[in-house]
Amino acid sequence: MDPRAAAWIVFIALLTALVSLGLLAAPYVALRYWYLLAAPLILATFRFGLKGVAATSGSGVLVLALVFRAAQDNFAQITGIARQVIESPSSSQNVRFLVGNLLDLQNIEPRIDLARALMGMAVVISCSIMLGKAIDRRAQVLRLLQRAFKLLGRYFSPQVIDSILASDQ
């Protein structure tokens, strides 16, 4: 394997791991920051084309699933505590009103944030696939040109090839 490619793989893997750990550290708000997973995806797309898209988009969706699970557990705990406070016989009407306003559970519902995050990731992945295809085609054209250059080298002198290439520029 090319050492530069291996270095890129390590860098992208570390970036993905750091973003993932950052998101998992605060699951209650992490789904709102899904776009951080686009950075490794875009880097991998530019460097590795469709193969990079496949690897990093899969890991990005897996991280979103893990973050959703953690956010759902956190949401269940918050909901349970709020219900205990609201339903306790010793709490007054003011406490119930205050807790209801403070914990507007619709705003931290993880399913809503997951839907937004998945839609956003789908757009980023779709764009990355198109970009990856273009990068792969460009690499294929470059390989074909290099092959043609080698074939021309068999039949023509290096000066003739250089003059042909220089006339294009």
Side-chain angles (χ1 to χ4, degrees), residues 147-158 161:
R147 185 172 166 220
F149 181 73
K150 285 181 183 178
L151 287 174
L152 284 175
R154 290 184 190 172
Y155 302 108
F156 297 104
S157 69
I161 294 173

Side-chain angles (χ1 to χ4, degrees), residues 97-120:
F97 177 75
L98 188 67
V99 169
N101 285 338
L102 287 176
L103 296 176
D104 185 11
L105 297 177
Q106 290 293 345
N107 287 334
I108 59 171
E109 170 64 48
R111 289 179 290 185
I112 295 169
D113 288 339
L114 178 68
R116 290 179 186 148
L118 287 176
M119 286 175 25

Side-chain angles (χ1 to χ4, degrees), residues 18-101:
L18 287 173
V19 169
S20 301
L21 289 174
L23 292 176
L24 287 169
Y28 46 90
V29 293
L31 288 172
R32 295 181 182 171
Y33 296 99
W34 63 267
Y35 53 85
L36 295 174
L37 292 167
L41 177 63
I42 292 168
L43 284 175
T45 302
F46 275 115
R47 181 62 179 100
F48 299 107
L50 284 175
K51 292 176 186 173
V53 172
T56 53
S57 64
S59 66
V61 171
L62 177 66
V63 168
L64 280 180
L66 293 173
V67 167
F68 173 68
R69 181 67 184 149
Q72 206 170 23
D73 292 343
N74 193 13
F75 180 73
Q77 290 174 348
I78 291 171
T79 305
I81 292 170
R83 280 197 182 114
Q84 286 177 353
V85 170
I86 290 172
E87 294 172 355
S88 70
S90 63
S91 66
S92 68
Q93 194 67 11
N94 290 338
V95 173
R96 289 182 188 162
F97 177 75
L98 188 67
V99 169
N101 285 338

